[in-house]
Amino acid sequence: SMAAPSRALSDALLFLDNEKVFVVAAAGNTGSLTPRYPAAEPTAIAVASITAAGRRSTFSNAGPFVRLAAPGDRRQLEVLVA
């Protein structure tokens, strides 16, 4: 992921949005509230990681750009797979 958007990335995501293609991207894995790209692009669907308790995983980025949260904590995934 990137800390700032690039014009090429923004243009590509806008093209995909116009073609009705959904772009899903991880919110980031630095545990910060700083937006990361491509997840923070307005046309992308940013997904954060949550624990089994429904709390943000310590490593997962968060913020107003995040639209969805899904299980991503390693311990929780091991339970789901077992």
Side-chain angles (χ1 to χ4, degrees), residues 3-76:
S6 74
R7 180 68 184 182
L9 176 63
S10 296
D11 289 347
L13 292 180
L14 185 58
F15 172 81
L16 292 171
D17 186 60
N18 289 333
E19 296 295 317
K20 308 294 184 218
V21 175
F22 293 102
V23 175
V24 180
N29 294 321
T30 60
S32 76
L33 299 176
T34 303
R36 301 294 294 181
Y37 294 83
E41 283 284 342
T43 58
I45 299 169
V47 182
S49 171
I50 58 172
T51 67
R55 300 197 188 285
R56 178 172 58 108
S57 299
T58 57
F59 59 83
S60 185
N61 288 18
F65 69 99
V66 174
R67 296 190 194 183
L68 295 173
D73 187 91
R74 180 179 205 132
R75 291 164 291 184
Q76 184 176 359

